[in-house]
Amino acid sequence: MAQIECQRQHFKAAIQAMQRAVAIEPDNAEYLTTFGGILCKLDNHKDALKLLGKAVTLDPNIPRLHFGFGVAFENLGDHSRAEQAFRKAVELKPDYPEALAHLGHLFTQQGRFVLAARNCQLAIESRPNFAYPLSEMAKPLAELGRLKELLACR
């Protein structure tokens, strides 16, 4: 229910649904992860980290939990911890396109263009019609003098 409300941009309803769910099952790692993800979408990264921190103690093997950590840390400027979190998400789910694309973005920001291009390519291979890694791949390929390769990606 909360995810549907979030997709509809009804964030207040999504938060209320997650508050009810967590009140009923406070030790449900999936609920805490979902709630943390919603808070990340609302740029409430510090509170998201609290929920995700509890969730990881309950079940450390949820890929989107680590993705949520990555998003929160990235937005709080802690790129080292964001990279670790995105890498953990990919370790748990090797074909996780969002985590791979975010790694590509981080690597681009750090000037690590070969790694950036590789992670974006893996994200594209994982989900060919996903636009985010295609756009993220342009800068590292341009920096590497390989922009023509972007035309071959789909």
Side-chain angles (χ1 to χ4, degrees):
M1 176 68 126
Q3 290 174 326
I4 292 169
E5 295 293 355
C6 203
Q7 289 171 350
R8 293 179 180 162
Q9 305 290 309
H10 299 154
F11 296 113
K12 184 177 180 182
I15 288 173
Q16 290 170 342
M18 290 314 306
Q19 287 171 330
R20 285 191 302 272
V22 170
I24 294 167
E25 292 187 52
D27 292 331
N28 185 312
E30 288 288 340
Y31 288 173
L32 293 166
T33 298
T34 298
F35 198 179
I38 291 168
L39 292 178
C40 279
K41 288 180 183 180
L42 296 171
D43 293 329
N44 188 347
H45 303 292
K46 290 181 181 178
D47 286 340
L49 286 174
K50 291 175 191 173
L51 291 170
L52 297 170
K54 182 175 180 185
V56 79
T57 65
L58 299 167
D59 185 352
N61 296 313
I62 302 172
R64 65 187 179 87
L65 163 65
H66 296 281
F67 178 76
F69 271 127
V71 170
F73 285 131
E74 180 179 12
N75 282 286
L76 291 172
D78 190 339
H79 294 166
S80 175
R81 291 175 79 185
E83 179 182 338
Q84 291 172 354
F86 290 135
R87 284 184 183 273
K88 181 65 176 179
V90 171
E91 176 187 318
L92 293 169
K93 184 179 176 186
D95 63 342
Y96 197 156
E98 292 86 357
L100 290 162
H102 275 270
L103 276 170
H105 176 77
L106 281 177
F107 292 144
T108 297
Q109 289 181 319
Q110 298 167 352
R112 298 160 69 186
F113 300 121
V114 172
L115 280 173
R118 181 68 187 133
N119 278 276
C120 288
Q121 180 62 42
L122 290 170
I124 293 163
E125 290 170 7
S126 178
R127 188 181 308 150
N129 295 324
F130 187 27
Y132 179 60
L134 280 169
S135 65
E136 285 300 317
M137 198 162 169
K139 181 167 181 167
L141 288 180
E143 292 290 336
L144 295 168
R146 299 170 26 201
L147 198 52
K148 287 183 181 180
E149 290 177 35
L150 188 60
L151 299 174
C153 294
R154 344 196 258 89

